[in-house]
Amino acid sequence: MPDHGTNGNIENGSNGIHNDDNGHDEGNGESQSSAEKFRFKNQTESLESRVLVIYTGGTIGMIINNDGVLAPQSNKFKENIRQNPLMHDVDYLRNRPDKSEYLALPGLKHNKRVLYKVLEYDSLLDSSNMTVDDWINIASDVFDNYENFDGFVILHGTDTLCYTAAALSFMFENLGKTVIITGSQISIFQPRSDGVDNFIASLILAGNYVIPEVTVYFHNKLMRGNRTIKTSTYEFDAFISPNCLPLVQVGIEIDGE
């Protein structure tokens, strides 16, 4: 990937934290406990950021079909997202025809307004069918759109999510932007869905923080992509990162480790 000045380092004021090949952190100063160390070093005065959402398939975007079964349905995800005020602020883009292809998160204090565009795959994938060719397609889409967006969110089925995250982490070199892979245990369009929080938090992180590596966001934790495993098919807290603390914990505040 192009090098935009970070060279794989997490921006941390004068003390850069380097992520070595073994996933360990090395610093030359006292570590910060706040996720502010990841905050954008703004190159412009823009109050907006742009995030590309790559929708590959998975439970997160499934809709109940005519047979009463949850299933992926093409060209429905973006349409349904537009109707959810938690995930799209209709008024914000109403008079901006140049941004007609974008959706906008509601505004958050002390955060940039996140505008995001959805790239939906023609054939939505069950993640158990994900192949090396699909990893290459995802990587190519990030590469092709790298200069046009501030961050990337990849929506993925949970069964092989961590495999994709690990593969992409070794495919990208000199990554200078945030790439987050997320999914859900319950469809984002169903009551009690964990997908709403996973999706919104991923967009906020990708649009406001520079974490230049492939990560997994699930159940309030942002974890290193090549250190994450799935441990449950039925709990919302379905992924863990053994022997490697989460990079970010999301609660009332957003805290970096």
Side-chain angles (χ1 to χ4, degrees), residues 60-178:
I60 191 167
M62 288 186 177
I63 299 171
I64 296 178
N65 62 20
N66 294 332
D67 297 323
V69 177
L70 274 173
Q73 295 186 36
S74 297
N75 303 314
K76 292 293 185 181
F77 182 80
K78 184 176 178 180
E79 175 185 328
N80 288 338
I81 288 290
R82 283 190 180 277
Q83 301 173 29
N84 189 319
L86 291 176
M87 293 181 278
H88 178 53
D89 184 345
V90 177
D91 293 331
Y92 187 74
L93 297 179
R94 189 182 301 278
N95 297 317
R96 297 183 59 184
D98 59 316
K99 294 292 188 292
S100 60
E101 294 185 357
Y102 283 83
L103 296 96
L105 281 186
L108 289 172
K109 189 176 181 181
H110 305 311
N111 283 274
K112 287 189 173 187
R113 176 74 75 141
V114 177
L115 307 185
Y116 62 100
K117 186 176 182 179
V118 177
L119 172 61
E120 179 178 316
Y121 281 5
D122 293 334
S123 178
L124 297 174
L125 301 170
D126 184 319
S127 71
S128 62
N129 296 325
M130 192 76 65
T131 68
V132 174
D133 287 340
D134 297 314
W135 296 342
I136 294 172
N137 288 338
I138 295 170
S140 296
D141 286 330
V142 173
F143 181 84
D144 291 343
N145 291 281
Y146 192 82
E147 299 295 337
N148 300 320
F149 294 90
D150 300 301
F152 300 86
V153 173
I154 300 166
L155 302 182
H156 197 289
T158 61
D159 286 345
T160 61
L161 186 151
C162 54
Y163 295 97
T164 297
L168 292 179
S169 75
F170 291 104
M171 295 171 75
F172 293 150
E173 292 186 5
N174 296 321
L175 188 63
K177 298 183 180 182
T178 306

Side-chain angles (χ1 to χ4, degrees), residues 206-248:
N208 286 278
Y209 298 84
V210 177
I211 307 171
E213 61 184 88
V214 178
T215 57
V216 170
Y217 184 87
F218 224 88
H219 195 63
N220 305 322
K221 300 190 297 289
L222 186 74
M223 297 163 281
R224 185 158 280 139
N226 54 24
R227 295 293 185 272
T228 304
I229 60 173
K230 184 178 179 181
T231 58
S232 177
T233 59
Y234 57 88
E235 293 180 354
F236 288 157
D237 191 7
F239 290 84
I240 64 171
S241 180
N243 303 318
C244 185
L245 291 174
L247 297 172
V248 174

